[in-house]
Each structure stands twice: as C-alpha cells, then as structure tokens.
Amino acid sequence: MTDLAQRIQDQLMEAIEKDRLVLPTLPEVALRVREAAEDPDVSIPMLVREISSDAALSARLIKVVNSPLLRTRQEITDLSMAVNRLGISYTANLATGLAMAQMFQATSDVIDQRMRQVWSRSTEVAGISHVLCRHYTRLKPDQATLAGLVHSIGVLPVLSYAEEHDDLLADPQSLELVIERIHPILGDRILEAWDFPAPLRHVPSEHLDFQRNSPAVDYSDIVQVALLQSLAGTDHPFAQLDTAGIPSFAKLGLNNSDDEEDLSAEMEAAMQLLG
C-alpha cells in the first residue's frame, strides 16, 4: 500500500470511528417515498402524490412497469396504475433505487467519470440480482434489485473526499487502494444511517466475503453471484475466482453451469432498464 493511501485510510477510519465523516443522504423524493411506504395507513393515492412531485422518476417507474421484466397484458399508462401493479413496498424500493442515480455525480471530471462507472456497475449488478432472485430464490426481487444498487454505495464518500484533496485526486492508484479497503465498512454505515431493512444492511461488506456461508440464501449471496457474473470475461481479479468453491453459487443452485437457465436476455433487459 502506498504511503499516501495508508495515511488517507487512517484519516478516514478515524473520521468513521468518531462519526465525523459526512455520509451521503438519500435524495429527498426517495426519503419521502420510503417514509410514506412505512406508514401502515398509507394508501396508493398518497404514495402516488409523493412520487409525482418528481416527473422524471414518475416516467421511469411507468417505463419499468411496462418493461419485458414486469409487463402485464394491459399497458400501464399512468403512475396510479403503475403503483397499483407493483404494490407499495415494491414501488418504494424501485423508486429509491431509481432516485439514487442523481447521487452519482460530481463537479470534477475525474471523479464524475469514476462515479458514473460505479453507478453503471451497480445497475448491472442490480439487474442481474433481480433476475437471479426471481428464478433461483423465494426472496423479493425488488429487495434484490435495491441490494444490487447499493452494494458499492460506500465508494461515494471516498470519492467525495478525493474531490476535496488534490493529492489523492492526482494519485489514482492510491485512490483505488483506499476505496478497496474502506468502501465495504462505509457502505454498511450508510445503509444503517438510511435505516434500510436489516436483510440489506450488510450487503456492502458481506458480498465481498467469498467464503461466507450463511444457513440460507440471502441478498448478500445474490449480489455476490451477480457481481461475479457481471465481471465474467473481464481482467478483474474477481473474474479469475473458481465459482465452484464459492458457497453462494451452491446456495443458488448454480454450481453446475449445465443446470443454469439461459437468462442472459432477461438480465440484459434488466440492466438496460436500470441504467
């Protein structure tokens, strides 16, 4: 590890431990939608009202509901129909994920490009997670999608920090080392601060533990498999891992590639939809 990377890592770890690091906050519309969805008395018109304050988000939700992944016989033409079709919980998770795209933007070109790369990978992993969840588990596809979208959320504060520190900005190798070491810890902290559901809160750290073997398949397993599938065929070190020895693949029943359904078209559709 470079001296700069070690020094920055120490500074950030200290800031995390003393609660001095400014964590990103969810976009206002996502906060309002999640808050409304958690109200036991919420009605679909109330949720529609919250979402409709953001025209772009409303349009994206309608597009998603009409996509090949979720399409019904009847075309969905307005937000009320979309929320009725998805249900309150699914709508809240999807709206949260779609609204998060606006967080991955920066003022400096270098950091902006890196943020867009992180978001692009996150949407890929989310799309694959959605499809894997539907075909190989009894878990909720909307939660799996959201888990995929937030698996690298801990990268955001490190990139925001780098934007304010020219020495780190000028040293891409040190920046990557710091991200690699710290983003899983930060990711868990952020999801806790956002009051995410317990089954998702440790996805940022758990999806990188390739020997983790929980008693039953969970969202961290799905995201881990989705990440490795998204990296297959690249020169990323994770692409060299032997999946036969990774418990998450066994838990999803994917240890034998002959057993795997050909879901590539469906995954492609899911990735396009979120990206």
Side-chain angles (χ1 to χ4, degrees):
M1 197 168 192
T2 67
D3 289 346
L4 174 63
Q6 187 65 58
R7 180 165 54 79
I8 299 287
Q9 181 182 308
D10 292 345
Q11 285 173 7
L12 284 170
M13 286 304 291
E14 187 184 354
I16 294 166
E17 280 156 21
K18 294 185 175 174
D19 272 338
R20 286 205 313 261
L21 191 68
V22 179
L23 299 176
T25 53
L26 273 173
E28 188 63 36
V29 65
L31 286 170
R32 289 201 312 271
V33 168
R34 292 190 78 77
E35 193 176 333
E38 280 163 17
D39 179 350
D41 300 322
V42 73
S43 64
I44 283 174
M46 286 160 73
L47 197 59
V48 167
R49 198 161 56 243
E50 293 297 354
I51 297 167
S52 60
S53 66
D54 187 316
L57 179 60
S58 304
R60 291 288 301 280
L61 269 171
I62 293 167
K63 186 182 168 193
V64 168
V65 181
N66 284 309
S67 74
L69 283 178
L70 302 171
R71 193 163 45 215
T72 49
R73 293 196 187 111
Q74 172 192 18
E75 189 190 359
I76 305 291
T77 54
D78 64 46
L79 194 56
S80 289
M81 287 173 78
V83 178
N84 260 303
R85 164 79 177 88
L86 290 171
I88 285 169
S89 171
Y90 205 125
T91 300
N93 283 329
L94 201 51
T96 301
L98 294 172
M100 275 173 52
Q102 61 191 261
M103 298 171 66
F104 288 79
Q105 292 168 5
T107 46
S108 88
D109 286 346
V110 177
I111 297 298
D112 192 59
Q113 188 183 0
R114 186 71 179 82
M115 282 193 176
R116 286 173 194 276
Q117 285 171 353
V118 174
W119 181 244
S120 176
R121 173 71 62 200
S122 298
T123 58
E124 273 193 25
V125 171
I128 297 170
S129 295
H130 177 102
V131 176
L132 289 173
C133 184
R134 260 180 49 190
H135 286 270
Y136 296 109
T137 79
R138 292 186 175 183
L139 297 172
K140 297 175 180 175
D142 54 311
Q143 295 264 59
T145 306
L146 191 54
L149 288 172
V150 298
H151 80 280
S152 287
I153 195 70
V155 177
L156 270 186
V158 184
L159 290 175
S160 299
Y161 181 94
E163 204 168 22
E164 308 293 322
H165 293 79
D166 293 341
D167 50 350
L168 193 55
L169 203 54
D171 186 345
Q173 185 196 357
S174 292
L175 177 56
E176 288 308 318
L177 283 167
V178 173
I179 286 172
E180 198 181 305
R181 293 286 187 90
I182 285 184
H183 90 81
I185 303 163
L186 274 174
D188 284 8
R189 287 289 178 100
I190 292 166
L191 297 190
E192 188 180 344
W194 287 356
D195 201 22
F196 260 46
L200 300 189
R201 278 192 196 178
H202 298 290
V203 166
S205 59
E206 288 177 350
H207 86 280
L208 291 168
D209 178 359
F210 297 109
Q211 290 313 308
R212 176 180 174 274
N213 200 356
S214 58
V217 68
D218 59 21
Y219 296 105
S220 296
D221 291 321
I222 294 170
V223 169
Q224 184 175 93
V225 172
L227 174 66
L228 294 181
Q229 291 198 339
S230 81
L231 293 169
T234 69
D235 56 4
H236 194 283
F238 290 169
Q240 319 311 317
L241 293 169
D242 178 9
T243 58
I246 298 177
S248 56
F249 278 77
K251 277 187 272 179
L252 266 76
L254 295 174
N255 260 355
N256 182 348
S257 57
D258 297 340
D259 298 340
E260 200 171 327
E261 299 169 49
D262 183 16
L263 302 173
S264 48
E266 201 175 328
M267 287 176 180
E268 194 63 39
M271 282 156 24
Q272 294 292 326
L273 194 65
L274 295 160

